[in-house]
Amino acid sequence: MEELGRLEERVILIGVQTAAEDNVLDSLDELEELAETAGAVTVGRMIQNREAVHPGTYIGKGKIEEVRSLVYAMDATGVICDDELSPAQLNNLERELDCKVMDRTLLILDIFAARAVTSEGKIQVELAQLRYRSARLVGLRESLSRLGGGIGTRGPGEKKLETDRRLIRTRISALKQDLAQVEKHRELLRTGRARGKVKTAAIVGYTNAGKSTLLNKLTGASVLSEDKLFATLDPTTRILNLKDGQQILLTDTVGFINKLPHHLVEAFKSTLEEAKYADYIIHVVDASNPQAEMQIHVVYETLKELGVLGKKIITLFNKQDAPGAAVLRDFKSDYSLKISARTGEGLDALNDLLEKLLTEELIYVERVFPYQEAGKIQLIREFGQLISEEYTESGITVKARVPREIYPQVV
């Protein structure tokens, strides 16, 4: 909280269980982590069992009375609901409780606003915030004028809420154009990588699974790595030099999370699509998390939504050095390894696996190049593996492995 320079917010978490298989307790645990990341202190919880979420107030009338009493008893400044609220639910609940009301989506957006560093990240966050807020403009304007700042007011904040819907639509249109330019630039970068024949791997996983720690350990990058949800938001690409001389580009992507709102996925599609255009997917799983299996499911559902299909997937069961690291399986992946990105355990095996996969993509070449074709050997050095070369009277005898794309140029 201190790092954000704001008054401490004391919140009550509210969840609704509509089916026996719903694990609301675990979901509220995660919501508490999100609240902590946003700078709030959780001072109470409330769960209601209902056949369906109340369409007008999220929870029933009797439970509203209980929450109101708990807010007063715990001196709470607001409540956070574990689902995305409709404008009517948000306004009605806020009127009934007479305190600040937030939902999971607003909380995630607030964290994103605090974490965005690059211009692309800031554009994506503002776009997602405005889409979320445009439908709730009237209610939020009233509540913020009464309740002041805090969670939900970072990024565009109140100044945007003071404008009318027409101005917000104009701003959204301008942001879409800005984002289109960013996507165009990203596409040029991808084209350049493809032309360079360097294979790419996207590091994906649930938030706080250890993706940034892995990238830092493998490549010596200096990406922020904290034990917090969404510690990093902006994607980072670094080159990994493998032991046999081959290279692969690794891209760290924004973490996935349960109940990730669709419009948030839409806003961050250009970032998340790094996985779509990668040659391989490296799926990092926090093996020490009791909800690891659920998190694996969420990652695959998000990849499916992004259209990431047909890639070779390497699942890394990370944090083997942590207490309670479970023995897990991922039946959807092609390869699985146990690692600790923090200590380096298992990373040699990952290096060997990446070498094997890259080598499988290469074609073995053994031929004598006339001296006037020596330039082709440089092509092999740049994009393939030069196993040996021997200078003879008739030419240069070469044994090498080359990518399929340049094979026609060297035979």
Side-chain angles (χ1 to χ4, degrees):
M1 190 65 219
E2 292 176 1
E3 69 178 274
L4 302 173
R6 300 186 297 176
L7 293 174
E8 179 179 272
E9 294 195 54
R10 295 166 59 83
V11 296
I12 307 291
L13 308 183
I14 305 175
V16 175
Q17 180 142 351
T18 58
E21 60 270 18
D22 290 348
N23 205 328
V24 180
L25 279 173
D26 289 325
S27 190
L28 286 185
D29 285 344
E30 183 173 86
L31 190 66
E32 183 171 343
E33 275 194 79
L34 286 167
E36 182 185 345
T37 301
V41 176
T42 299
V43 294
R45 293 183 177 198
M46 194 73 73
I47 296 175
Q48 181 168 35
N49 292 297
R50 289 179 59 91
E51 289 186 4
V53 167
H54 193 290
T57 53
Y58 184 62
I59 52 176
K61 189 173 181 180
K63 192 60 72 172
I64 288 175
E65 293 294 330
E66 290 183 44
V67 173
R68 188 190 293 126
S69 299
L70 187 60
V71 167
Y72 179 77
M74 302 305 297
D75 193 27
T77 57
V79 301
I80 304 176
C81 300
D82 194 33
D83 296 280
E84 184 168 341
L85 300 180
S86 69
Q89 288 171 330
L90 187 72
N91 296 336
N92 293 337
L93 200 54
E94 200 157 68
R95 186 172 59 250
E96 291 284 344
L97 296 175
D98 193 30
C99 72
K100 184 176 183 177
V101 175
M102 298 160 279
D103 62 14
R104 176 181 271 255
T105 303
L106 184 65
L107 197 56
I108 293 171
L109 285 170
D110 191 75
I111 294 166
F112 277 22
R115 299 294 184 185
V117 176
T118 65
S119 58
E120 179 186 5
K122 290 175 181 177
I123 290 168
Q124 290 169 324
V125 168
E126 186 173 355
L127 184 58
Q129 283 181 318
L130 290 177
R131 281 173 170 164
Y132 171 84
R133 288 173 174 173
S134 61
R136 299 160 173 82
L137 183 62
V138 176
L140 278 174
R141 182 191 288 143
E142 291 171 354
S143 67
L144 286 172
S145 65
R146 184 175 79 247
L147 296 163
I151 294 171
T153 60
R154 279 184 281 230
E158 291 174 272
K159 63 182 179 183
K160 293 292 184 288
L161 296 170
E162 290 161 3
T163 64
D164 59 20
R165 293 186 192 278
R166 181 180 59 79
L167 289 176
I168 285 184
R169 281 198 298 269
T170 302
R171 180 63 180 154
I172 286 175
S173 179
L175 287 170
K176 281 182 176 178
Q177 290 178 6
D178 291 343
L179 202 54
Q181 290 300 313
V182 170
E183 288 172 0
K184 192 174 181 181
H185 175 66
R186 192 179 285 282
E187 184 59 38
L188 287 172
L189 287 175
R190 288 193 194 110
T191 304
R193 290 175 199 162
R195 197 180 297 123
K197 309 296 188 299
V198 180
K199 297 293 182 181
T200 60
I203 304 174
V204 305
Y206 209 79
T207 181
N208 204 29
K211 300 182 300 300
S212 298
T213 304
L214 177 68
L215 185 68
N216 289 342
K217 194 75 173 181
L218 288 173
T219 67
S222 54
V223 181
L224 176 66
S225 176
E226 290 183 278
D227 187 19
K228 283 185 177 180
L229 302 183
F230 301 114
T232 51
L233 183 62
D234 300 296
T236 304
T237 300
R238 294 287 183 270
I239 197 153
L240 171 61
N241 295 301
L242 299 172
K243 292 175 183 174
D244 65 355
Q246 296 187 84
Q247 294 181 325
I248 186 168
L249 286 169
L250 300 181
T251 299
D252 182 18
T253 61
V254 62
F256 302 160
I257 196 166
N258 196 22
K259 301 181 182 178
L260 188 66
H262 181 73
H263 59 263
L264 224 164
V265 174
E266 280 297 310
F268 283 83
K269 189 158 273 188
S270 67
T271 301
L272 293 168
E273 278 188 341
E274 287 295 323
K276 187 174 181 178
Y277 293 103
D279 298 292
Y280 308 102
I281 301 295
I282 297 177
H283 176 197
V284 183
V285 177
D286 178 358
S288 68
N289 193 304
Q291 296 304 305
E293 289 186 359
M294 178 277 290
Q295 294 179 356
I296 290 171
H297 174 73
V298 168
V299 169
Y300 279 115
E301 285 299 303
T302 309
L303 290 176
K304 183 180 177 181
E305 186 176 348
L306 291 167
V308 181
L309 302 169
K311 313 278 185 188
K312 283 189 177 177
I313 298 176
I314 304 168
T315 294
L316 304 179
F317 293 113
N318 189 27
K319 304 190 183 180
Q320 293 295 319
D321 59 309
V327 178
L328 299 165
R329 290 186 180 182
D330 180 1
F331 294 103
K332 293 185 178 180
S333 69
D334 298 281
Y335 306 92
S336 295
L337 295 172
K338 293 180 181 180
I339 70 155
S340 168
R342 191 179 67 84
T343 66
E345 176 191 344
L347 296 190
D348 283 341
L350 176 60
N351 184 96
D352 294 342
L353 177 57
L354 291 173
E355 287 179 358
K356 172 179 173 287
L357 291 175
L358 293 181
T359 300
E360 286 175 355
E361 298 283 330
L362 303 177
I363 299 173
Y364 182 74
V365 174
E366 186 174 342
R367 64 162 290 196
V368 178
F369 288 90
Y371 283 102
Q372 61 267 29
E373 292 184 16
K376 292 183 177 181
I377 300 174
Q378 183 56 36
L379 200 63
I380 294 172
R381 283 197 186 95
E382 190 173 354
F383 299 117
Q385 283 181 294
L386 187 61
I387 299 169
S388 68
E389 59 180 325
E390 183 182 349
Y391 290 80
T392 64
E393 289 184 8
S394 56
I396 309 167
T397 303
V398 167
K399 294 179 182 178
R401 292 188 179 91
V402 297
R404 297 177 190 280
E405 297 89 346
I406 68 163
Y407 178 73
Q409 300 173 49
V410 297
V411 294

